[in-house]
Amino acid sequence: MLAALGLYGVTAYTVVRRTPEIGIRMALGAERSRVIAMVLRGAMLQAVFGLLIGVPVAMWSVRYIKSQLYEITSVNFTVMLAAIGTLAVAAAIAGIIPAKRATSINPVDALRIE
């Protein structure tokens, strides 16, 4: 949940900062689906990079904390895959909300922000 909220916050902030750019793209005829794909691509890349760093660190740290946890002997890959899937879904949802907001921006209003 914390990762999803953090990803949403960063994505929403990025969309707000890129509002003039998105407005120019929309004014020049960019399709809404392309703008949504652009925002989602950024959110999913952040999630993938986080997973590329987090999964090996989690697997490495299990051997150091398994003596302190009850009945933990090794990495449970089912739980790891469920966590990865949950984060992927959360990243998609966290990216789609700002993406929808970005496509609803009127290009004239977006250009007036600066």
Side-chain angles (χ1 to χ4, degrees), residues 63-109:
R63 66 185 206 177
Y64 293 110
I65 61 170
K66 69 181 177 183
S67 63
Q68 298 174 356
L69 298 174
Y70 182 69
E71 290 188 16
I72 300 294
T73 57
S74 65
V75 176
N76 188 341
F77 290 105
T78 306
V79 172
M80 186 72 75
L81 287 175
I84 290 171
T86 303
L87 183 63
V89 169
I93 292 170
I96 209 116
I97 296 169
K100 290 285 189 180
R101 192 174 305 137
T103 58
S104 67
I105 295 172
N106 185 3
V108 174
D109 293 337

Side-chain angles (χ1 to χ4, degrees), residues 11-12 14 28 39 42 51 57-58 64 70 82 90-91 100 102-104 110 113:
T11 305
T14 303
L28 293 176
V39 174
L51 285 170
V57 168
Y64 293 110
Y70 182 69
K100 290 285 189 180
T103 58
S104 67
I113 289 176

Side-chain angles (χ1 to χ4, degrees), residues 3-90:
L5 287 174
L7 186 60
Y8 171 76
V10 170
T11 305
Y13 178 72
T14 303
V15 168
V16 168
R17 292 211 51 214
R18 293 177 72 184
T19 299
E21 174 196 346
I22 293 170
I24 291 171
R25 287 177 185 265
M26 298 292 283
L28 293 176
E31 297 174 1
R32 291 184 188 277
S33 62
R34 306 265 326 226
V35 174
I36 290 174
M38 177 183 68
V39 174
L40 280 176
R41 188 177 315 114
M44 295 308 280
L45 280 175
Q46 289 175 13
V48 166
F49 286 138
L51 285 170
L52 287 176
I53 294 169
V55 169
V57 168
M59 293 174 83
W60 177 76
S61 63
V62 163
R63 66 185 206 177
Y64 293 110
I65 61 170
K66 69 181 177 183
S67 63
Q68 298 174 356
L69 298 174
Y70 182 69
E71 290 188 16
I72 300 294
T73 57
S74 65
V75 176
N76 188 341
F77 290 105
T78 306
V79 172
M80 186 72 75
L81 287 175
I84 290 171
T86 303
L87 183 63
V89 169

